[in-house]
Amino acid sequence: EDLYSIICDINNSLTVIVGFSELILRRDYKSNEKDYMIREIFQQAISISHSVTKITSGANTISGNIDIRNNSNNQVPNSKFIN
């Protein structure tokens, strides 16, 4: 992927995070509505994390460094916050 598409992905994810965060803060929602928004915020944060990993991997490749911590299979790590 090129840098422009990764930046667009990050920007789109941040838009979702900010938008749902604002909605949650402005009024009360039913539990299922709030759960949906919180899960979306979490998923978009994971998406940003993957995008940053891609950028870091690209920077390491360019500079000649090899990052053995890179999660090249792009699996979402297990989390106690998701069922």
Side-chain angles (χ1 to χ4, degrees):
E1 281 184 88
D2 64 350
L3 186 58
Y4 179 77
S5 67
I6 293 172
I7 290 169
C8 287
D9 290 344
I10 291 172
N11 189 49
N12 291 339
S13 293
L14 287 171
T15 300
V16 171
I17 290 169
V18 170
F20 279 137
S21 297
E22 285 181 15
L23 288 173
I24 289 171
L25 292 171
R26 290 181 188 242
R27 72 176 179 93
D28 289 330
Y29 287 90
K30 295 177 186 174
S31 179
N32 64 330
E33 292 172 323
K34 191 178 279 189
D35 287 347
Y36 170 77
M37 288 186 268
I38 291 170
R39 285 182 185 279
E40 277 298 311
I41 290 169
F42 180 81
Q43 289 298 326
Q44 296 302 320
I46 294 296
S47 176
I48 290 171
S49 175
H50 288 302
S51 294
V52 170
T53 299
K54 288 177 189 177
I55 292 169
T56 303
S57 296
N60 284 332
T61 301
I62 291 169
S63 68
N65 296 327
I66 298 173
D67 186 359
I68 60 172
R69 297 169 295 154
N70 182 21
N71 181 8
S72 61
N73 59 7
N74 288 329
Q75 291 181 338
V76 175
N78 290 334
S79 173
K80 64 182 179 181
F81 300 110
I82 298 180
N83 293 337

